């Protein structure tokens, strides 16, 4: 394999890890809590701004702004749960879409209003440099993002499938009232789920900010892919999102390299439709 | 025979829920299906009604092979069923639930409405016709399921514990209803744990255990079978018998 | 009572633009009706059958591009492309419906998103459709058939007639077998099947009908606006708007989408007019905030709230 | 002393908001130039005298409208500006598709509409009588590039293979197409074309394709978001093209220049505006703009500013706000090089409304700033080789 | 009998415009087995749900050891030691049998009791033990009923409320279940049963209430009710 091709594949894998990272919070909320969060991309956008402004105002690096973004977003998650999601959960599924869509516009344009439409970037040396292994260049920032994506998804997966907390959160999303009969406080569980999901999104946003640009509409750019990643992987399956993210990353890179960049999305969407045609529950989903 | 099942088998992964079952249902009869919990009765029903495609075996309905046909074609051929775990259209009214069934044989709304009203009347749901179906309790939902199934004007009606959760009086009323349905020419297959129902309704009873048939015959024969007593009836038999005798006597 | 309210509403609809004249407001009224048509069309599959499509803009695009192509390729008046657009939409619905309608819930929704994005990208590369640049209608009207008017009133009444037709159809469908079947499918596909409903077929019918009417809205859009490009013709945001309007008013109800459009379109146009010029994004903060508030305080849609008042009074 | 209202339609929200807001600031500055008596701007149109001097010093008031990035909104807002705000004329609307629908309304109402920046060819092919365009169009730009590249070739640079990387919406694909045509007709070989979807999440494969084939000249036609990603990806994949040309837009965005300009030292660009050396009028205007917004005046904003000045000049000469008079004045526009702030050779409209003197400068990134390097008369520094990052 | 555990007096529950329960009063003594009888729609489920906190009684009072719990949410109620096995089972169908049972143990303060409780449920219902890794959504009807009851037992309650426990169970299992309930009762568990099967209920209960269209219309020691022929004919449909 030529070094360039190898580089394309490595680039695709790292990109895929970023997708997985980006999608982790969405999987939790969409797959587990059964709420479609149209504002997910905007959560990421806010996390990116937290990172940017932390750097611009206080200075410091990812070690400072990543936890800050996680914390800020976790708080936002809890606020959004109580302010928006909880009231609409009683209504039909469309009400959730309505609510989170309104929220998306609200957040996006509040950022727009507060920070203007200007593009911003963190300096190149936040997570500096790149290293060469076997003729293939690895960009440190993306490698870090990839590793964090892996850890985060594994952590979330274990949390959801292996712990009491995960089982309780799932119970609440399955049948809120029955969960209450078990002595579970549904609001607390949901708030924790939102805090976790939004916190993970915060980590994702902060790390992505180290190699991406920041603008009020940046969430839109990545959101559609995140939605595809989550459904391709199978709703509620955290490992599914990881695999789907990596798969889409590699396919995008290879198809952009071989067939043409215009068609890479066409290919991804077509692949997605074909997968659903063969496996209506996504790669790892349960029927 | 209206229904002839041969070697019907249903596997879930490594678990065989229904194991090579042969069963005949004679036209115009009431056939009872009993057996311990998890014996495979509902699974077998799902095979009959087309909800599951059996892993093996053949099912003939009025001489025609139907295993593997869709549930909707089963309904159109004249096979209607109720679910043990009710599947009500909760956002619709009780009357509209029945309308959905009635539309199978009546294209026009007015005709369907008339047919549905008749069914509602017959099943005693007329009073609640305008209530939302979500206000019904389990027993009410089950009755609604019978009404809905009846509205499709079936040849055979598969009742999966449709009488569970009724009081004694109501059971009597329900038995009368089922008899009435039967008299109107509908063949009935019924799964029920309330022996009183089986004893007073069924012409022929089949007993499932671990996915196989362990006994078959008239209610009297079956309840006298020690295998059935052991696996299913236990000591309650005497009581049940007594009650059934009272009921029919 | 209900009949009286309806009569009053119709009367208002007919005379409204004559009373509140002003070219801009007439246009807002016309646009409101146009989006009401699209949202009501979406409602057939998304509201009644409960299959939430976020890809409906492709059917809108069929209509818009159909009308545009009639002009750009054959020099016909755009409206002559309506049958082409509707035909294409219905055909496309049939083609994509078969594989996607098997999917349940969110998977269907996501499949429609993927489909819409896929088609948007493809349209951007098809020269006959103007590729990325887009297609325009006749710049200067050649005959009355170009339906190119300076005033928005003719559009208003045209759209009103179409909307009335669509609502009448929906009203009839609600009461027919189809309506019952769709609601049953929304309730429980499994139970619907057991009652003999060919679920796949009915969902497909609903999608095709919905697609056809959405395409009508698309063609009317082109007639009025005179230009379509991949973003405005097949951009996902428009799908979301159809959904939002229906949900806001009350999905699966006859007048829900219309009420949603009555709120959202004027809100969008007027907030843009009042606040847009500042360029600070406040328009959308307000717009998003209002949607958010309605969702939070009236999750069942405005119609549910009105129904509540109705019962009380 | 009255006021004259002029409408301005720009993308103040949506994906192009960054550019729209910049244009808005520039137009506001144009209005300041008109309304105030600024003697230090030399012969610049409308700078001398406060307000519209032929109309007793009437002040210009600009009414902004947000096109929200959609043709329908652009059209609604044009209608509102005309019928509700009663504007005398309109400028805008940035995106060609929106200019198309918005100007159609103005045409029906008989209100002059001038676009300072939309480049789509078909805009001036519609037989409109009220439509004017001040900016150079794609063929003008291609011509400038070709003249410039021919000089480079003559100076001994090898330009045998050319790659065009363009985003595939209207802007990118129409520029790419006219470049391809013009290059082909002038003996330049376009060996690679890499169209891609705008606002992409990743550009590495495209950069690797370039690195793989290593053409002599790489041309980027992209918006800001992608421009930033290209600059970063080229660095992280260690790819320095021999010669790199970026067509305006993203690579010209002040945010880009400021934040990642240091990664593309030596990139060649085009611009109708270059601040030039201290003391010059463009430099002075750039200073004023910076004082107002904190950013440099970029090319599209400068063109917007110029467009507004052209419109005010016409209204001033019309001496009144009757549309027909303004239309006639626009047709009679004849601004000379010294009267304009962009690198046009003047402003003079043909019968279709196109400015036949529109022209563009070639600039190059020198130490994190674009400086004009061509044509020789307006150059402030010599052309150098591509450096990239240090 | 000893003191009153649960004291419901004159509660009313509304579902929007519909009245689910109009006026119900009943007492559950500590260590007793109380049966709640009545035909379909009489309000048994609604009463139990109101106690458990799933629905709010609009008026009246519900006292637990003298403390008003009418407005307590369900998770608060279960924490006090009253557990309901609800109508319709309300299982967590996406989770396994064992996960469901462990969820039932959430209110336990002393987590070390979880294991023995689990073992006990598996002893009562051996078919659950066989299916501990199976998804609850794939269980048969009877198995679901067993799981629902087992799950309720997992909280180690002081008062166990069962809504139609015999529903869908095979006769042998019903026997075992009732034997078990009696055994648990001997260990000190108090029971409140809503049962359709009057005969069964009166067999195990020591006191019973009869509901009719949302009102308590009759009460008395189970043995008396079982004997009284008029009562049986009018309210219980026995002849
Ligand atoms: N998808 C599945 N995967 C694994 N096991 C299953 C699945 N579906 C059903 N089973 C098992 O198959 C067995 C038969 O179930 P079925 O519902 O047919 O029983 P039944 O005879 O109707 O019992 P009941 O009287 O309790 O309703 C049960 O033990 C059930 O747990
Ligand atoms: N969610 C609800 N919405 C509206 N009405 C309801 C609801 N639940 C119950 N009801 C009504 O409340 C009344 C009492 O019902 P409940 O379920 O408590 O009776 P039940 O005695 O438990 O009957 P069953 O034997 O059917 O379980 C009935 O008239 C019923 O229709
Ligand atoms: Mg069963
Ligand atoms: Mg009940």
């Amino acid at each position: 394999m030529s070094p360039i091709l190898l580089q394309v594949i490595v680039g695709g894998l790292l990109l895929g890890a970023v997708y997985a990272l980006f999608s982790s919070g969405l999987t939790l909320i969409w797959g587990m809590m059964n709420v479609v969060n149209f504002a997910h991309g905007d959560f990421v956008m806010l996390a990116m701004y937290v990172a940017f402004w932390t750097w611009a105002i206080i200075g410091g690096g990812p070690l400072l702004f990543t936890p800050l973004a996680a914390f800020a977003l976790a708080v936002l998650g809890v606020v959004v749960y109580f302010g928006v999601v909880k009231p609409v959960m009683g209504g039909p599924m469309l009400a959730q879409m309505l609510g989170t869509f309104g929220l998306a516009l609200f957040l996006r344009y509040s950022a727009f209003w507060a920070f203007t439409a200007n593009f911003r970037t963190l300096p190149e040396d936040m997570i500096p440099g790149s290293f060469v292994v076997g003729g293939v260049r690895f960009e440190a920032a993306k490698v870090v993002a990839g590793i964090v994506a892996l850890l985060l998804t594994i952590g979330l997966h274990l949390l959801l499938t292996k712990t009491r907390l995960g089982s309780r959160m799932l119970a609440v999303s399955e049948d809120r009232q029955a969960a209450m009969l078990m002595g579970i406080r549904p609001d607390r569980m949901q708030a924790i789920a939102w805090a976790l999901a939004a916190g993970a999104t915060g980590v994702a946003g902060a790390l992505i900010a180290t190699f991406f640009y920041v603008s009020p509409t940046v969430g839109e750019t990545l959101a559609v892919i995140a939605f595809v990643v989550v459904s391709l992987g199978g709703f509620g399956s955290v490992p599914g999102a990881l695999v789907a993210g990596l798969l889409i990353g590699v396919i995008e890179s290879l198809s952009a390299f071989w067939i043409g960049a215009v068609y890479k999305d066409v290919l991804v969407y077509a692949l997605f439709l074909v997968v659903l045609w063969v496996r209506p529950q996504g790669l790892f989903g349960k029927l | 025979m209206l229904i002839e099942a041969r070697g019907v088998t249903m596997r879930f992964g490594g678990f065989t829920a229904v194991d090579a079952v042969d069963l005949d249902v004679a036209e115009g009869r009431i056939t009872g299906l009993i057996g311990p919990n998890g014996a495979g009765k509902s699974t077998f029903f799902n095979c009959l009604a087309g909800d599951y495609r059996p892993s093996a075996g053949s099912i003939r309905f009025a001489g025609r092979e139907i295993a593997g046909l869709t549930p909707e074609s089963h309904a159109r051929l004249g096979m209607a069923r109720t679910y043990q775990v009710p599947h009500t259209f909760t956002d619709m009214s009780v009357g509209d639930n029945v309308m959905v069934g009635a539309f199978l044989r009546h294209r026009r709304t007015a005709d369907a409405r008339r047919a549905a009203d008749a069914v509602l009347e017959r099943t005693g749901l007329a009073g609640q016709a305008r209530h939302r179906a979500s206000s019904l309790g389990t027993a009410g939902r089950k009755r609604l399921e019978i009404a809905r199934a009846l509205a499709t004007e079936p040849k055979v009606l598969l009742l999966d514990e449709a009488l569970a959760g009724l009081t004694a009086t109501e059971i009597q009323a329900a038995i009368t209803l089922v008899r009435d349905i039967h008299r109107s020419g509908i063949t009935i297959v019924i799964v029920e744990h309330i022996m009183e129902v089986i004893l007073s309704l069924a012409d022929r009873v089949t007993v499932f255990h671990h996915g196989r048939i362990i006994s078959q015959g008239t209610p009297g024969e079956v309840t006298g079978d020690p295998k059935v007593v052991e696996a299913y009836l236990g000591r309650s038999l005497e009581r049940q018998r007594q009650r059934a005798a009272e009921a029919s006597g | 009572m209900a009949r009286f309210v309806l009569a009053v509403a119709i009367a208002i609809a007919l005379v409204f633009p004559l009373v509140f004249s002003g070219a801009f407001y007439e246009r807002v009224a016309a646009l409101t009706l146009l989006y009401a048509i699209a949202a009501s069309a979406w409602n057939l599959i998304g509201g009644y059958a409960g299959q939430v499509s976020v890809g409906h803009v492709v059917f809108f695009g069929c209509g818009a591009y159909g009308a545009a192509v009639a002009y750009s390729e054959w020099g016909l008046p755009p409206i002559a492309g309506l049958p082409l657009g509707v035909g294409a939409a219905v055909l496309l619905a049939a083609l994509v419906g078969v594989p996607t309608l098997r999917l349940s819930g969110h998977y269907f929704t996501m499949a429609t998103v993927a489909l819409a994005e896929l088609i948007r990208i493809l349209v951007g590369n098809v020269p006959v459709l103007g590729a990325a640049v887009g297609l325009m209608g006749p710049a200067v009207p050649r005959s009355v058939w170009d339906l190119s008017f300076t005033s928005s009133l003719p559009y208003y009444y045209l759209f009103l007639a179409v909307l009335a037709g669509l609502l009448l159809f929906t009203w009839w469908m609600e009461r027919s077998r189809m309506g019952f079947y769709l609601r049953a499918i929304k309730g429980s596909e499994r139970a619907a099947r057991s009652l003999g409903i060919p679920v796949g077929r009915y969902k497909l019918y609903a999608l095709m009908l919905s697609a056809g009417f959405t395409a009508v809205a698309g063609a009317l859009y082109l007639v009025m606006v005179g230009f379509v490009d991949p973003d405005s013709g097949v951009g996902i945001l428009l799908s979301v708007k159809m959904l939002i309007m229906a949900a806001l008013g009350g999905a699966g109800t006859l007048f829900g989408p219309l009420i949603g459009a009555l709120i959202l379109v004027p809100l969008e146009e007027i907030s843009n007019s009042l606040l847009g010029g500042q360029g600070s994004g406040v328009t959308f903060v307000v717009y998003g905030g209002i949607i958010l508030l309605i969702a939070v305080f009236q999750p069942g849609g405005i119609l549910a709230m009105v129904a509540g008042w109705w019962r009380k009074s | 002393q009255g006021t004259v209202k002029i409408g301005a339609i720009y993308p103040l929200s949506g994906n192009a908001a960054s550019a729209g807001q910049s244009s808005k600031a520039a137009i506001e500055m144009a209005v300041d130039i008109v309304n105030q008596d600024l003697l230090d701007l030399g012969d610049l149109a409308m700078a001398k005298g406060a307000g519209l001097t032929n109309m007793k010093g009437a002040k210009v008031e600009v009414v902004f409208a947000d096109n929200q990035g959609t043709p329908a909104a652009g059209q609604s807002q044009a209608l509102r500006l005309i019928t509700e705000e009663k504007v005398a004329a309109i400028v805008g609307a940035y995106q060609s598709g929106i200019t198309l629908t918005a100007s159609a309304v103005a045409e029906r109402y008989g209100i002059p509409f001038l676009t300072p920046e939309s480049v789509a060819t078909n805009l001036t092919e519609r037989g409109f009588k009220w439509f004017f365009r001040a900016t150079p169009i794609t063929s003008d730009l291609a011509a400038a590039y070709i003249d410039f590249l021919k000089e480079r070739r003559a100076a001994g640079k090898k330009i045998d293979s050319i790659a065009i990387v363009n985003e595939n919406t209207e802007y990118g694909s129409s520029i790419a197409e006219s470049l391809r045509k013009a290059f082909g007709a002038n003996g330049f070989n376009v060996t690679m074309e890499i169209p891609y979807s705008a606002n992409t999440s990743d550009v590495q494969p495209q950069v690797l394709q370039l690195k793989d084939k290593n053409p002599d000249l790489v041309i980027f036609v992209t918006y800001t978001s992608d421009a930033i990603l290209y600059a970063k990806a080229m660095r992280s994949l260690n790819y320095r093209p021999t010669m790199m040309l970026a067509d305006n837009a993203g690579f010209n965005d002040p945010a880009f220049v400021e934040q990642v300009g240091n990664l593309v030292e030596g990139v060649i660009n085009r611009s109708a505006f270059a601040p030039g050396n201290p003391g010059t009028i463009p430099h002075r205007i750039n200073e004023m703009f910076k004082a107002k917004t904190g950013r440099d005046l970029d090319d599209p904003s400068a063109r917007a500013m110029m467009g507004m000045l052209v419109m005010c000049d016409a209204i001033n000469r019309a001496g009144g706000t009757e549309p027909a008079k303004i239309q006639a004045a626009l047709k009679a526009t004849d601004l000379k090089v010294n009267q304009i702030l962009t690198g046009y050779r003047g402003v003079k409209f043909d019968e279709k409304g196109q400015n036949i003197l529109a022209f563009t400068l070639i600039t190059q990134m020198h130490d994190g700033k674009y400086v004009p390097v061509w044509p020789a008369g307006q150059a402030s520094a010599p052309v150098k080789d591509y450096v990239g990052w240090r | 009998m000893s003191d009153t555990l649960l004291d419901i007096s004159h509660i009313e529950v509304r579902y929007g415009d519909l009245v689910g329960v109009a006026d119900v009063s009943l007492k559950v003594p500590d260590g007793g087995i109380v049966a709640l009888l009545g035909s379909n729609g009489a309000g048994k489920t609604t009463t139990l749900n109101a106690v458990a906190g799933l629905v709010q009684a609009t008026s009246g009072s519900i006292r637990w050891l003298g403390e008003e719990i009418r407005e307590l949410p369900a998770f608060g109620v279960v924490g006090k030691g009253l557990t309901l096995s609800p109508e319709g089972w309300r299982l967590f169908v996406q989770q396994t049998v064992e996960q469901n049972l462990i969820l039932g143990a959430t209110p336990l303060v002393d987590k070390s009791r979880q294991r023995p409780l689990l073992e006990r449920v598996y002893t009562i219902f051996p078919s659950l033990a066989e299916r501990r890794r199976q998804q609850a959504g794939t269980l048969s009807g009877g198995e679901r009923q067993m799981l629902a009851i087992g799950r309720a037992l997992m909280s180690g309650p002081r008062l166990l409320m069962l809504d139609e426990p015999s529903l869908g169970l095979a006769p042998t299992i019903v026997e075992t279940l009732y034997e078990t309930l009696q055994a648990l009762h001997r260990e000190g568990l108090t029971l409140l049963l809503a049962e359709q099967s009057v005969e069964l209920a009166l067999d195990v209960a020591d006191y019973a209430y009869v509901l009719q269209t949302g009102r308590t219309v009759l009460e008395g020691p189970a043995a008396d009710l079982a004997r009284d022929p008029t009562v049986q004919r009018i309210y219980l449909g026995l002849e």
Side-chain angles (χ1 to χ4, degrees), chain A residues 252 255-256 260-269, chain D residues 200-202 206:
Chain A
E252 276 198 351
S255 57
V262 192
Y263 294 105
K264 71 174 187 186
D265 292 326
V266 172
L267 215 76
V268 166
Y269 295 131
Chain D
T200 185
S201 49
D202 180 48
Q206 289 94 295

Side-chain angles (χ1 to χ4, degrees), chain B residues 15 35-38 84-85 131 135 137-140 161 164-170 193 195 229-236 239 243 246, chain E residues 18 38-40 87-89 131 140-144 146 164 167-173 175 179 196-197 199-200 203 235-239:
Chain B
F15 179 75
N37 296 120
Q84 183 174 8
V85 184
H131 293 190
S135 71
T138 312
E161 296 195 31
L166 301 183
T167 59
T169 333
E170 290 160 345
H193 288 300
M195 285 310 289
V229 175
E230 153 85 34
Y232 183 63
L233 294 172
R235 281 180 283 113
S236 64
R239 268 205 308 246
R243 290 276 299 285
E246 276 170 32
Chain E
L18 289 173
S39 55
N40 271 299
E87 179 176 68
W89 313 309
R131 323 205 145 266
S140 84
E143 290 159 355
R144 286 173 195 236
M146 298 175 209
E164 298 183 25
L167 185 94
L169 292 183
T172 39
I173 304 288
E175 256 166 53
E179 278 160 18
Q196 309 288 6
S197 173
E199 199 189 0
L200 257 177
D203 214 29
Y235 298 115
L236 308 179
L238 296 181
E239 307 201 23

Side-chain angles (χ1 to χ4, degrees), chain E residues 187-222:
Chain E
E187 287 170 29
L189 182 71
T190 306
L191 284 161
L192 176 55
L193 307 173
E195 253 300 352
Q196 309 288 6
S197 173
V198 174
E199 199 189 0
L200 257 177
L202 293 182
D203 214 29
V204 295
D206 32 49
Y207 202 83
Y209 291 85
V210 180
L211 301 191
Q212 206 175 40
T213 55
R215 291 168 199 279
T216 20
V217 290
L218 192 70
E219 62 179 284

Side-chain angles (χ1 to χ4, degrees), chain D residues 163-192:
Chain D
I164 302 177
V165 182
N166 66 285
E167 60 93 24
N168 78 335
T169 67
E170 189 255 354
Y171 158 67
S173 45
S174 55
I175 296 264
E177 185 179 326
S178 59
L179 288 187
R180 181 175 359 103
K181 276 193 197 140
F183 282 173
N186 285 280
F188 286 96
N189 245 342
V190 176
T191 50
M192 270 179 105

Side-chain angles (χ1 to χ4, degrees), chain E residues 133-146:
Chain E
R133 307 250 166 272
Q134 189 173 322
Q135 263 198 18
T138 62
L139 292 179
S140 84
E143 290 159 355
R144 286 173 195 236
Q145 178 70 284
M146 298 175 209

Side-chain angles (χ1 to χ4, degrees), chain B residues 126-191:
Chain B
Q128 279 132 293
R130 292 167 140 269
H131 293 190
R132 267 165 73 100
S134 57
S135 71
L136 297 179
T138 312
R141 288 183 194 199
K142 288 192 166 171
R143 188 161 2 168
L144 177 54
E145 292 227 336
I146 298 182
R148 225 168 46 179
L150 210 51
T152 65
E153 298 172 17
K155 287 202 190 63
V156 54
L157 185 57
L158 309 177
L159 300 174
D160 195 352
E161 296 195 31
L163 274 48
L166 301 183
T167 59
T169 333
E170 290 160 345
I171 286 178
Q172 291 310 323
I175 288 175
T176 317
L177 173 65
V178 175
R179 280 227 178 86
D180 175 45
I181 294 171
H182 175 235
R183 253 199 298 279
S184 68
I186 298 172
T187 306
I188 290 175
V189 186
I190 181 165
V191 171

